[in-house]
Amino acid sequence: MRRTVFNEDHEAFRETIRAFIEAEVVPVYDEWFAAGQAPRDFYYKLAELGVFGIRVDEEYGGAGIDSYKFEAVMYEETARAGVQFGGSGVHVLLGLPYIKMLATDEQKKRYLPKFVSGEEMWALAMTEPGTGSDLAGMKTTAKLSEDGTHYILNGAKTFITGGVHADRVIVCARTAAPTAEDRRHGISLFAVDTKSEGYSVGRKLDKLGLKTSDTAELAFVDVKVPVEDLLGEENKGFYYLGHNLASERWGIAFGAYAQAKAAVRFAKQYVQERTVFGKPVAAFQNTKFELAACQAEVDAAEAVADRALEALDAGELTPAEAASAKLFCTEVAHRVIDRCLQLHGGYGFMNEYPIARLYADNRVNRIYGGTSEIMKTIIAKDMGL
């Protein structure tokens, strides 16, 4: 079936990104993998390429294109090459929507030019030790000072992607106690400068996959956050988080579909080149049937991911639709990547082969952004169950 989601501009961007990956990422990716993160200066290269400013208004140095389709192209191209752009994905996919939705004109003037240039990398800090998907259970607090000029931030966050290199972190914290009627009440969002006294980065977490993405623990001890860095209104943070979860979950869904598509590509190439019993592995009926079944699943996931992308761009992607897309695409990717690794035999277990890294990278898709079980709960509720 012919895809209609991308036009000539997107395909031209695809060629640029593919050439950039081949020149700037592939030759050094093994070094990033061993180090457990991409170097900070790589983000300046992405900024020079213009990828941080695509959805930023022109007055702040961006391209002013209100579409996620260029990001979708990047998902496909990084997966195709078997690489990641470090922790930069959260900068645009997670950080930017909050700035665009909540920042005042004064805040946008301060934040966005540095966002576009890569001078300030952003991350989002929601999860806390012991809370997981229960965001309403967060314990981090932000208390307004007596003179009303700043908040005092105390607490800890974990699993924060981009947390090592981040210059600004959107921190979710309690500014008021929950009420008996609403546990979600009292959460606010702050654009915290990571150079602030009392702000510290703990362990850079050693993950199963996404090895080039810096993921960290954060701690706040009496961090002074100016009132000018409050995003949106006090105590409405949970609503803001829920509003932007749809785009985050679309990103995970589309990324998972792209990984599944790449896995079929890697497996097809391998079985055509690998010879056993005197003939290519691709010549065996089982190989053909396995890859055919995988391709059919990828085709279905592509249709779901594309439909969700169109709805997101139109501002019509509902929380339940985003949950459905995430659930379906991540489960498909899990099955497809596992079967494609099996076709590699023992070599599929070796990190020098992209399928092995892809297998590890993919596993978190059914956990972060809300687990598959949470997605099922959202979908069931939407069904009236």
Side-chain angles (χ1 to χ4, degrees), residues 242-263:
H243 183 274
N244 283 329
L245 276 173
S247 60
E248 178 183 354
R249 288 167 178 163
W250 163 79
I252 297 170
F254 204 95
Y257 138 71
Q259 289 175 325
K261 183 176 181 178

Side-chain angles (χ1 to χ4, degrees), residues 13-53:
F13 180 70
R14 184 186 304 279
E15 293 181 11
T16 299
I17 288 294
R18 188 173 296 183
F20 175 81
I21 290 172
E22 288 299 318
E24 300 290 345
V25 182
V26 172
V28 294
Y29 197 70
D30 286 344
E31 298 174 18
W32 297 3
F33 190 84
Q37 62 185 32
R40 178 64 175 83
D41 61 4
F42 171 68
Y43 300 146
Y44 288 110
K45 294 180 180 180
L46 286 176
E48 290 173 5
L49 199 63
V51 300
F52 293 157

Side-chain angles (χ1 to χ4, degrees), residues 127-371:
T127 305
E128 296 183 1
T131 62
S133 297
D134 182 19
L135 296 179
M138 68 177 62
K139 305 296 184 183
T140 297
T141 61
K143 296 183 179 180
L144 188 64
S145 63
E146 292 184 4
D147 62 6
T149 62
H150 60 274
Y151 291 84
I152 305 297
L153 181 67
N154 284 282
K157 300 289 181 178
T158 192
F159 306 146
I160 308 307
T161 303
V164 174
H165 285 317
D167 303 289
R168 285 264 180 187
V169 177
I170 299 173
V171 177
C172 311
R174 284 209 162 275
T175 45
T179 64
E181 297 77 21
D182 188 1
R183 293 178 63 241
R184 300 169 296 182
H185 171 77
I187 294 172
S188 301
L189 307 184
F190 300 90
V192 180
D193 185 339
T194 63
K195 296 185 294 297
S196 301
E197 184 178 355
Y199 180 104
S200 63
V201 178
R203 291 187 302 151
K204 180 169 72 67
L205 301 174
D206 184 15
K207 307 184 300 296
L208 170 68
L210 300 179
K211 289 289 189 179
T212 65
S213 171
D214 56 302
T215 303
E217 296 174 330
L218 306 179
F220 323 110
V221 179
D222 293 335
V223 176
K224 293 183 179 179
V225 182
V227 292
E228 291 82 8
D229 286 328
L230 170 70
L231 285 174
E233 296 182 38
E234 253 194 15
N235 303 326
K236 292 190 176 181
F238 199 94
Y239 164 76
Y240 301 142
L241 293 171
H243 183 274
N244 283 329
L245 276 173
S247 60
E248 178 183 354
R249 288 167 178 163
W250 163 79
I252 297 170
F254 204 95
Y257 138 71
Q259 289 175 325
K261 183 176 181 178
V264 172
R265 176 175 177 267
F266 296 145
K268 178 182 175 183
Q269 181 179 4
Y270 178 82
V271 299
Q272 288 176 328
E273 296 173 353
R274 174 70 168 164
T275 300
V276 295
F277 304 118
K279 57 182 179 179
V281 175
F284 293 91
Q285 186 183 63
N286 179 70
T287 304
K288 296 177 182 179
F289 281 7
E290 281 293 286
L291 282 177
C294 287
Q295 183 61 54
E297 290 217 76
V298 169
D299 287 344
E302 180 180 85
V304 170
D306 284 357
R307 185 181 70 175
L309 173 56
E310 293 284 21
L312 181 63
D313 266 12
E316 299 172 353
L317 185 64
T318 68
E321 290 169 344
S324 179
K326 180 182 184 294
L327 177 66
F328 182 77
C329 291
T330 57
E331 294 292 341
V332 164
H334 162 64
R335 293 191 297 269
V336 168
I337 294 170
D338 183 73
R339 294 164 82 174
C340 288
L341 186 150
Q342 187 73 15
L343 289 173
H344 282 72
Y347 290 104
F349 205 64
M350 301 295 111
N351 272 329
E352 64 186 277
Y353 282 78
I355 192 67
R357 298 181 182 183
L358 194 59
Y359 183 88
D361 290 348
N362 171 261
R363 185 60 186 88
V364 76
N365 288 334
R366 291 180 288 149
I367 298 173
Y368 68 1
T371 64

